[in-house]
């Protein structure tokens, strides 16, 4: 009764019945890997929710104060108001620490899920026509996610994040021709930049989430319009989609996934400490801590900076400094190649037909091999971001670890790529396991040995 | 028969999950009232959300209709549809802007000028780099102080001692942070022209800012007499003009020429030998 009345009210004003009927009966293909993007969406919602709570207590100010709160080891220490408010959120505000840790864990997982989601789309060829535009929007969302992460963990104005900002500034400074101006305009002047925290704050809580929100809407709208891809299977064709209806099964499953995602994040946040800034201490431009690692999603850039040999370009009195190559050229090339990938691939395969059915990675050996090669390159860079940790853990000389990783950065992609190509060729054409094909039966023969037989022969 | 039994079991599990969730929610409120505790809050939140999640997943998976529904993908666009749209666009264009080329150019000029004007406020975001990166706060005669402002005497450092220092009254100038180290003067191999940049008893001063990416070169390793940057592991030879010997750094740490004044305080003889910190495009111009 109440549903009818509501529908009538809305229909008389907005004409919703046609659209609603279609929506409720919409069919979504089922596969666990299609849930990755959905999980990322839920993590974004959790980030927004906990983020709003944190803004009520965080103070993005560089003004110097003397700490007098309840965390005794830092009493009497000079620090920025931003860092003090972080301590207050952690120690004075009831439920503040759990909110902060949920926020940080959700951010770490958000980036992880985005990357895995992107890998799924890449390896299954979901980016192919007609979905190239959504691949571009997705990559932009990943870029924004990285910026959101960096701007967010730089806000506390602790020793670790201050070091990260300093490196970011040095990388900006290294850009040919415009580096100094760009660095001064972005950071508001020479290091240690008076008002960078308030600037990052606006970027972190308004500009980036706003942009993510808009592009996320566009991303979902395009999925809605084009409908989700599906793996090949019985009845599934380029024209027919097989799956679960929106109402009620899919909607309830989606709700369940939200709660399970949130449950995982809150469990991590409650039991596993993350970014304990009170241990790092307030930022001091003349201090640095050993074993400083960024959050995991920037580890590949940190590793690239560490693996880069000691050379730079000097010609005609100009310099292209060392950090430019690992800090900007590598990520620049990475993202440009990724953005262009749907067209690069279409050019080589000459495949310009629209696709709704996904590839199994083994069926496209070259793409899969290139993807694995690229992935192993970034994995080596990521590992190199912790070369000091590895050297300490295995008691090896740091220089040897670095040299070994420098070799691996080129060798591993080559080996992994070739191996992947061969494995794909080997597996290609084998039918997928659906679970309902007839199995083989092992039969004992008269002489006591065993042989396999087709089931119908038994 | 089995199906009904399975359903009954599912109903029981779902009810249990929702029950756990309810209790966890109430307990969470209680924890908050009692003063809060991060572990308890995290676990109870996880139980309350997880109970809901598990219950709903089980409900959808066991008690609702599954998969195998069929829908349609979008058809490919009919051929020629683009011509129609393009026709409408060009018709409208010709009827308005195409006929008034002069006005259209004026419109373009106005929009361009406005766009240009809107670029200028970006300039407000930061000061001009000017010569700020070329100079630090060190001047001829600047006395050395510790981070807390206390003056440094030549006798303050034992051999292999190391101290972070600033020019007097400038401890907030991050680009002026300097490492003062005492080494054995016999081991020191000063580059040409820098023989008198150190004191006779082996005090030597280098910029503390790594020439690679600007981290403080925080670690002095006495055994090898090198300075080590923990960020990207650039290593500089203290006895040999702080030249880079490992890691990604390509340039030596700039050296600060120093001497001892008549009161026994350490003073700078000039600013650093080169610009401090990370490099940029036209730093040598």
């Amino acid at each position: 009764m109440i549903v009818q009345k509501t529908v009538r009210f809305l229909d008389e004003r907005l004409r919703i019945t046609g659209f609603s009927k279609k929506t409720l009966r919409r069919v979504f293909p089922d596969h666990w890997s299609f849930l990755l993007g959905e999980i990322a969406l839920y993590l974004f919602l959790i980030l927004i929710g906990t983020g709003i709570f944190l803004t009520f207590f965080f103070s993005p100010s560089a003004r110097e104060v003397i700490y007098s709160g309840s965390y005794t080891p830092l009493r009497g220490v000079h620090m920025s108001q931003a860092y003090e408010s972080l301590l207050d959120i952690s120690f004075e505000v009831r439920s503040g620490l759990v909110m902060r840790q949920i926020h940080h864990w959700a951010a770490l997982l958000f980036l992880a899920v985005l990357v895995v989601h992107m890998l799924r789309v890449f390896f299954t060829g979901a980016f192919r026509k007609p979905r190239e535009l959504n691949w571009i929007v997705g990559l932009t969302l990943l870029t924004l996610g990285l910026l959101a992460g960096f701007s967010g963990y730089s806000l506390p104005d602790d020793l670790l994040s201050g070091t990260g900002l300093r490196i970011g500034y040095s990388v900006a400074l290294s850009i040919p021709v415009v580096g100094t101006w760009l660095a001064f305009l972005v950071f508001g002047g020479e290091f240690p930049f008076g008002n960078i925290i308030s600037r990052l704050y606006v970027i972190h809580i308004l500009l980036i989430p706003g942009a993510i929100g808009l592009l996320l809407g566009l991303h979902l709208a395009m999925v809605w319009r084009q409908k989700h891809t599906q793996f090949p299977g019985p009845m599934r064709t380029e024209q027919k989609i097989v799956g679960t209806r929106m109402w009620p099964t899919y909607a309830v499953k989606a709700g369940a996934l939200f709660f399970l995602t949130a449950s995982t994040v809150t469990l991590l946040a409650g039991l596993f400490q993350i970014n304990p800034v009170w241990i790092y201490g307030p930022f001091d431009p003349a201090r640095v801590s050993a074993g400083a690692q960024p959050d995991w999603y920037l580890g590949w850039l940190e590793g690239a900076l560490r693996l880069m040999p000691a050379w730079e370009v000097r010609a005609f009195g100009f310099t292209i400094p060392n950090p430019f190559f690992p800090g900007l050229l590598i990520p620049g090339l990475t993202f440009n190649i990724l953005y262009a990938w749907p067209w690069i691939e279409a050019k080589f395969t000459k495949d310009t037909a629209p696709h709704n059915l996904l590839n199994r990675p083994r069926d496209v050996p070259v793409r899969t091999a290139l993807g694995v090669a690229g992935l192993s390159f970034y994995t080596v860079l990521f590992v190199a971001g912790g070369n000091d940790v590895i050297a300490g853990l295995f008691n090896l000389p740091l220089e040897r670890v670095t040299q070994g990783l420098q070799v691996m950065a080129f060798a591993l992609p080559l080996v992994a790529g070739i191996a992947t190509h061969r494995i794909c060729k080997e597996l290609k054409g084998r039918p997928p396991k659906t679970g309902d094909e007839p199995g083989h039966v092992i039969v004992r023969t008269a002489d006591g040995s065993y042989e396999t037989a087709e089931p119908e022969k038994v | 028969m089995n199906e009904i039994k399975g359903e009954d079991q599912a109903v029981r599990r779902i009810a249990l999950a929702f029950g756990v969730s309810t209790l966890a929610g109430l307990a969470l409120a209680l924890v908050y009232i009692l003063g809060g505790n991060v572990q308890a809050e995290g676990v109870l939140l996880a139980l309350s959300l997880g109970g809901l999640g598990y219950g709903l997943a089980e409900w959808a998976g066991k008690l609702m209709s599954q998969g195998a529904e069929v829908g349609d993908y979008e058809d490919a666009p009919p051929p020629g549809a683009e011509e129609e749209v393009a026709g409408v666009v060009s018709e409208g264009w010709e009827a308005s802007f195409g006929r008034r080329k002069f006005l259209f150019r004026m419109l373009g000029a106005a929009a361009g000028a406005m766009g240009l004007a809107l670029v200028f406020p970006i300039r407000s975001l930061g000061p001009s780099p000017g010569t700020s990166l070329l100079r630090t706060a060190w001047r001829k005669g600047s006395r050395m102080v510790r981070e807390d402002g206390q003056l440094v005497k030549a006798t303050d450092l034992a051999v292999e001692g190391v101290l972070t220092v600033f020019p007097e009254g400038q401890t907030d100038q991050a680009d002026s942070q300097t490492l003062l180290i005492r080494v054995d003067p016999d081991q020191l191999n000063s580059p040409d022209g820098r023989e008198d940049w150190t004191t006779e008893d082996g005090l030597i001063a280098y910029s503390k800012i790594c020439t690679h990416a600007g981290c403080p070169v925080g670690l002095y390793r006495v055994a090898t007499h090198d300075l080590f940057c923990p960020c990207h592991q650039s290593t500089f030879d203290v006895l040999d003009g702080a030249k880079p010997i490992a890691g990604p750094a390509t340039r030596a740490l700039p050296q600060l020429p120093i001497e001892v004044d008549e009161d026994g305080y350490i003073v700078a003889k000039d600013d650093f030998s080169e610009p401090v910190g990370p490099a940029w495009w036209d730093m040598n111009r």
Side-chain angles (χ1 to χ4, degrees), chain B residues 114-130:
Chain B
M114 185 175 70
L116 185 71
L118 291 180
V119 170
F120 280 82
I122 294 174
R123 174 64 186 77
S124 307
L125 291 176
S128 160

Side-chain angles (χ1 to χ4, degrees), chain A residues 259-425:
Chain A
F259 287 117
L260 291 174
T261 305
S263 172
T264 310
V265 175
T266 50
L267 193 69
L268 286 167
L271 299 183
F272 299 94
Q273 189 181 59
I274 189 76
N275 202 28
V277 289
W278 53 89
I279 293 172
Y280 308 149
F283 181 60
D284 174 345
R287 283 172 205 273
V288 68
S289 56
Q293 262 76 33
D295 273 358
W296 79 266
Y297 43 84
L298 292 178
W300 60 295
L301 292 174
E302 174 76 9
L305 281 162
R306 290 179 184 204
L307 285 194
M308 181 72 188
W311 55 266
E312 61 192 20
V313 177
R314 289 179 205 159
F316 311 111
F318 295 111
T319 309
I320 305 180
N322 179 290
F324 173 75
F325 302 97
L328 274 166
L329 197 64
I330 287 185
L333 280 176
T334 302
F335 274 92
N336 275 304
I337 291 173
L338 285 173
Y339 272 116
W341 187 264
W343 289 275
I344 296 175
E345 189 180 297
K347 193 167 166 54
F348 279 97
T349 57
K350 301 197 169 56
D351 176 6
T352 51
H355 296 279
N356 292 320
L357 289 176
L358 294 168
N359 296 124
R360 284 191 304 160
R362 65 180 67 172
D363 293 335
V364 198
V366 176
R367 181 207 295 146
T368 306
L370 288 172
V372 169
L375 196 59
S376 49
F377 174 67
Y378 297 108
T379 307
V380 175
L381 293 188
F382 173 77
V383 171
N387 62 350
D388 47 353
V389 179
I390 294 169
L393 208 62
F394 298 105
N395 210 7
L396 290 166
L398 182 61
E399 267 181 64
R400 293 281 162 280
V401 174
T402 305
Q403 284 166 349
L405 288 166
Q406 281 169 338
V407 173
M408 291 258 282
F410 293 97
L412 191 67
L414 206 64
V415 173
I418 292 171
T420 306
H421 192 260
R422 295 199 67 160
I423 292 169
C424 287
K425 286 256 173 177

